[in-house]
Amino acid sequence: MAAAPNDATEGTEVAPKKKKGKLLLIGALVVLVAGGAGGWVLMKGGKSGHADAAEAAKAKPAIYLQLDPAFVVNFQDAEALRFLQIGVNVMSHDPEAIAAAKEADPEIRNALLMLFSAQDVKSLSDVRGKQKLQAAALAEIQRVLKEKIGRPGVDAVYFTSFIMQ
């Protein structure tokens, strides 16, 4: 009967090992689930449903409208009479905004001609000056479209040619 106490001792040693194994397995599952949830949140970027709607609108293909002919304006420099020629394209993801821009072409061209003719050579000689003019052109087009359709409509303005003489 001496063997019986050994069997009991061995049985008590096995039970804690099984409990530790189950705890490790449960702990590993919790870590995996938490990691998966954390990865999902990171991939999602923590964006709200409202941001998802904005992304869906941006997911539409870009539509470009070239404003033809190119804009040619003259402006006075301290040294001489200067000319500026700028080719302009507008980009939107909204077909209705592009249609409105086509209809409002005379108003948009007028606003841009006034803007371009008010420039000076010094401010347009560097990249920052051109970028500032590009942002101002976008603001003018958005202003006109906001009056027409109640929203800015255009997402970007691109200068496809830029010649100063």
Side-chain angles (χ1 to χ4, degrees):
M1 294 247 165
N6 285 342
D7 289 339
T9 308
E10 285 179 19
T12 56
E13 288 178 14
V14 174
K17 284 184 181 179
K18 283 186 180 180
K19 284 185 181 180
K20 283 183 185 178
K22 285 182 182 179
L23 287 176
L24 284 174
L25 181 62
I26 291 171
L29 286 174
V30 168
V31 168
L32 283 174
V33 169
W40 181 79
V41 168
L42 286 176
M43 287 178 63
K44 188 82 169 155
K47 297 176 184 170
S48 67
H50 190 264
D52 289 340
E55 274 187 24
K58 295 268 184 187
K60 294 179 185 175
I63 305 167
Y64 296 90
L65 172 65
Q66 184 172 350
L67 301 180
D68 276 330
F71 294 84
V72 179
V73 296
N74 57 4
F75 53 97
Q76 189 68 38
D77 185 22
E79 300 169 9
L81 183 63
R82 300 282 187 154
F83 293 93
L84 175 65
Q85 178 182 343
I86 303 176
V88 178
N89 278 8
V90 297
M91 188 271 293
S92 177
H93 294 94
D94 181 0
E96 184 182 341
I98 293 294
K102 286 177 184 177
E103 289 177 17
D105 184 66
E107 294 171 64
I108 290 172
R109 292 188 70 79
N110 178 67
L112 293 180
L113 284 170
M114 295 300 160
L115 175 66
F116 295 156
S117 64
Q119 303 306 305
D120 62 66
V121 173
K122 187 176 179 180
S123 68
L124 297 178
S125 295
D126 65 354
V127 173
R128 283 189 179 162
K130 291 177 179 97
Q131 290 171 337
K132 187 176 177 183
L133 180 60
Q134 186 179 23
L138 175 61
E140 283 296 313
I141 294 169
Q142 288 177 333
R143 179 188 59 78
V144 170
L145 289 178
K146 197 166 188 177
E147 290 174 6
K148 298 291 180 191
I149 61 173
R151 61 184 184 279
V154 172
D155 301 321
V157 168
Y158 299 104
F159 293 158
T160 55
S161 67
F162 197 99
I163 301 169
M164 288 192 312
Q165 188 177 13

